[in-house]
Amino acid sequence: MWHLVLKEHFVRGELGVLDLPAQERSWAWELGIRIPRPVGHGPSRFIPEKEILQVGNEDAQMHALFADSFAALGRLDNVTLVMVFHPQYLESFLKTQHYLLQMDGPLPLHYRHYIGIMAAARHQCSYLVNLHVNDFLHVGGDPKWLNGLENAPQKLQNLGELNKILAHRPWLLTKEHIEQLLKTEEHSWSLAELIHAVVLLTHYHSLASFTFGCGISPEIHCDGGHTFRPPSVSNYCICDIANGNHGTDEMQISPTGSISTAESLCEVEVLMEKMKQLQECRDEEEASQEEMATRFEREKRESMFVYFSEEEELAPTRDVSRHFEDTSYGYKDFSRHGMHVPTFRVQDYSWEDHGYSLVNRLYPDVGQLLDEKFHIAYNLTYHTMAMHKDVDTSTLRRAIWNYIHCMFGIRYDDYDYGEINQLLDRSFKVYIKTVVCTPEKTTKRMYDSFWRQFKQSEKVHVNLLLIEARMQAELLYALRAITRYMT
């Protein structure tokens, strides 16, 4: 009788490999019940499992965050387990995501999850697509919509053009795109609905960047997240494998590779010295506005030649590509092929002075939540760099943020873009551009090749800067187009 109850729980998906004691796992195998176990070791393929906080070892603050995440999502996902390196940011992120997906708002719940699927699919992010397929069905979404975008309501299909432009070339967005969505008679969007959709699209485009940038592993219950093997594998019992006790042959390769510790330490020292020199130069003299504009254009041009060609082009799988149209549409530099896109000057349209108030007016409280999240990511510091303490990292953080916005054609008149080349080396620029523009092409080699002596938490911090700068850049183009439509 017991084995029938056990089998029923597995069939219904109510039990996983970690829910059973070792003896019962062994019995289950004898009964012919196939027990899933994680394919990977820990929440990330890039970060050694031993460096990630283990559930059960967290302090009271972390425990409260985990509880909030579980209460909001019904799960403790791998994104949360990696973001917990930075609890202050994670708290803001979870609060914002919870509000977007579950609190009162212009869009019905199943629309929200479907838009999340559409956005994640543009970057072939099956991790996020799988999570939101489950959530979509859980809130009563029609399973037929999951067969392909053409099966979804026309109103959602109409969002496809906005989704692809925002994901890959947001500088091409115009007020005409907005007008098309708002004036399509019976399938039209209201302004409030459109703001909600835009925030969801930019949130999930950016979260796809974090997922690939940190090498997030699939959840055990999703495709690619589990395997079925008998209790004895390579001389280890299933309980050892499930609990993360692996042989040395399965350990991750040291991120420093063949680079000596002395060389890596030297990199940190050189970077700190450059930061110090830039600060001193800034205090002594300031470049003219003409020179600052020239340096921006030079950096923007140079960013087009930062690319990584090691990986072959990835063709989207049918499982993911059915959720969006025009699969050949992807990232292209904005000044290639003779195309000239006017510089987006933050002094003319900024998040603080324009975007924030527009979002808050049409979708109350979300502007405030986003503003808080942007500020935490941008200002987050522990005053450390690798093994050094009491370091002012603001110059470096600003260079990373402004480099991303520069790649999107966004200029700050008061910033000297000459600092970027001083502080960001080529391997770091390759990583940044890949994670932000074509995240699905990110590799472990790229992740390992920058900041080789820095802590894993500092690399995750970089990813938080990347996703928030990217999200704000997309939002600026979308909100400017909406403002132009309204005026």
Side-chain angles (χ1 to χ4, degrees):
M1 185 64 188
W2 173 87
H3 69 276
L4 292 175
V5 174
L6 176 66
K7 193 161 190 171
E8 185 183 347
H9 279 301
F10 273 111
V11 169
R12 295 208 312 251
E14 294 169 1
L15 281 176
V17 67
L18 301 183
D19 296 307
L20 291 174
Q23 182 60 55
E24 292 181 7
R25 281 199 291 271
S26 179
W27 288 341
W29 274 103
E30 289 172 19
L31 292 166
I33 299 169
R34 302 174 75 215
I35 304 177
R37 75 166 184 86
V39 168
H41 310 320
S44 165
R45 300 186 315 280
F46 296 173
I47 304 170
E49 187 179 14
K50 64 176 185 279
E51 297 194 35
I52 293 176
L53 177 71
Q54 300 298 309
V55 178
N57 295 335
E58 69 273 13
D59 60 22
Q61 182 194 11
M62 305 281 197
H63 185 77
L65 277 175
F66 286 163
D68 288 346
S69 177
F70 191 84
L73 300 170
R75 59 178 177 262
L76 194 58
D77 61 27
N78 288 339
V79 165
T80 300
L81 293 174
V82 172
M83 277 189 184
V84 83
F85 273 118
H86 303 285
Q88 187 189 2
Y89 174 85
L90 176 60
E91 185 175 9
S92 177
F93 173 85
L94 290 174
K95 192 163 52 170
T96 305
Q97 184 166 261
H98 177 66
Y99 196 94
L100 290 174
L101 292 176
Q102 292 173 285
M103 300 298 283
D104 288 344
L107 294 173
L109 297 184
H110 63 303
Y111 265 50
R112 303 180 197 193
H113 290 293
Y114 197 81
I115 290 169
I117 292 168
M118 289 173 65
R122 281 264 34 138
H123 282 307
Q124 305 168 40
C125 188
S126 54
Y127 173 88
L128 291 174
V129 169
N130 284 330
L131 289 184
H132 285 281
V133 162
N134 291 334
D135 292 339
F136 172 77
L137 294 171
H138 183 69
V139 297
D142 186 343
K144 289 184 191 140
W145 298 9
L146 300 175
N147 292 330
L149 185 58
E150 67 278 6
N151 297 290
Q154 188 61 46
K155 184 172 179 174
L156 282 168
Q157 291 184 46
N158 292 347
L159 203 61
E161 186 76 4
L162 178 67
N163 181 26
K164 82 174 186 184
I165 294 173
L166 272 180
H168 306 298
R169 307 173 205 173
W171 47 86
L172 298 182
L173 200 63
T174 66
K175 69 176 184 180
E176 284 72 32
H177 291 113
I178 304 303
E179 185 174 22
Q180 210 169 0
L181 289 164
L182 296 172
K183 291 199 166 180
T184 321
E185 296 180 5
E186 67 174 300
H187 304 299
S188 66
W189 292 74
S190 70
L191 267 172
E193 287 175 330
L194 186 58
I195 289 287
H196 195 169
V198 161
V199 175
L200 282 167
L201 289 172
T202 57
H203 175 80
Y204 282 104
H205 294 156
S206 301
L207 195 52
S209 283
F210 185 85
T211 300
F212 286 113
C214 290
I216 301 294
S217 301
E219 309 296 326
I220 187 172
H221 63 280
C222 292
D223 288 346
H226 61 265
T227 185
F228 296 102
R229 288 189 187 170
S232 179
V233 183
S234 303
N235 300 321
Y236 297 99
C237 80
I238 192 103
C239 47
D240 285 335
I241 296 171
N243 289 310
N245 301 322
H246 317 299
T248 52
D249 59 323
E250 295 191 48
M251 293 293 282
Q252 295 191 350
I253 298 165
S254 165
T256 54
S258 60
I259 305 295
S260 70
T261 304
E263 260 185 277
S264 295
L265 287 172
C266 183
E267 285 179 345
V268 178
E269 304 290 353
V270 167
L271 183 53
M272 287 182 64
E273 183 58 33
K274 284 179 179 175
M275 288 164 59
K276 183 181 169 189
Q277 287 172 2
L278 286 171
Q279 188 61 53
E280 288 169 356
C281 291
R282 200 184 300 144
D283 293 341
E284 288 172 13
E285 58 176 299
E286 196 171 301
S288 67
Q289 279 299 309
E290 291 78 13
E291 177 59 26
M292 299 270 262
T294 300
R295 290 175 186 177
F296 168 78
E297 290 300 331
R298 185 184 304 131
E299 189 57 51
K300 189 171 78 167
R301 246 186 346 266
E302 285 182 11
S303 76
M304 295 189 302
F305 299 102
V306 173
Y307 60 90
F308 193 79
S309 56
E310 178 184 291
E311 295 298 297
E312 291 179 12
E313 199 72 27
L314 293 173
T317 64
R318 165 65 187 155
D319 276 356
V320 174
S321 66
R322 63 184 166 192
H323 299 300
F324 64 94
E325 298 166 329
D326 197 358
T327 56
S328 63
Y329 191 94
Y331 173 80
K332 287 278 189 297
D333 289 312
F334 43 71
S335 294
R336 289 269 168 94
H337 313 301
M339 179 188 294
H340 176 69
V341 176
T343 294
F344 186 127
R345 295 176 73 250
V346 170
Q347 279 65 20
D348 298 332
Y349 196 96
S350 69
W351 166 255
E352 291 79 8
D353 297 334
H354 306 91
Y356 168 80
S357 56
L358 177 61
V359 172
N360 242 22
R361 189 166 83 245
L362 292 169
Y363 188 7
D365 297 329
V366 168
Q368 181 64 43
L369 289 167
L370 292 175
D371 193 59
E372 177 187 291
K373 189 159 62 78
F374 291 148
H375 274 92
I376 288 173
Y378 187 88
N379 295 309
L380 187 65
T381 182
Y382 305 96
H383 305 288
T384 60
M385 272 182 68
M387 69 299 300
H388 297 278
K389 295 180 179 177
D390 302 317
V391 183
D392 179 0
T393 61
S394 56
T395 305
L396 183 55
R397 283 182 278 119
R398 191 178 186 193
I400 294 168
W401 187 280
N402 287 2
Y403 179 60
I404 293 157
H405 279 200
C406 178
M407 290 191 303
F408 283 84
I410 298 171
R411 182 189 166 207
Y412 295 81
D413 285 353
D414 62 348
Y415 183 67
D416 180 357
Y417 286 85
E419 293 188 7
I420 290 173
N421 272 340
Q422 294 286 313
L423 299 175
L424 313 184
D425 65 22
R426 186 183 179 280
S427 62
F428 193 15
K429 282 184 172 182
V430 165
Y431 178 79
I432 291 172
K433 185 170 182 180
T434 307
V435 170
V436 170
C437 301
T438 53
E440 60 277 9
K441 295 181 181 177
T442 309
T443 65
K444 186 175 186 301
R445 184 182 297 188
M446 288 183 208
Y447 179 87
D448 290 343
S449 69
F450 81 93
W451 285 15
R452 286 163 289 198
Q453 201 58 32
F454 283 70
K455 298 170 190 159
Q456 296 294 341
S457 62
E458 290 171 314
K459 290 195 166 195
V460 173
H461 186 182
V462 165
N463 275 280
L464 300 184
L465 280 168
L466 303 194
I467 67 172
E468 293 303 332
R470 174 189 177 166
M471 183 175 184
Q472 191 180 95
E474 283 189 38
L475 275 176
L476 282 172
Y477 278 108
L479 297 174
R480 185 181 69 170
I482 291 171
T483 299
R484 285 177 172 173
Y485 164 80
M486 291 169 68
T487 53

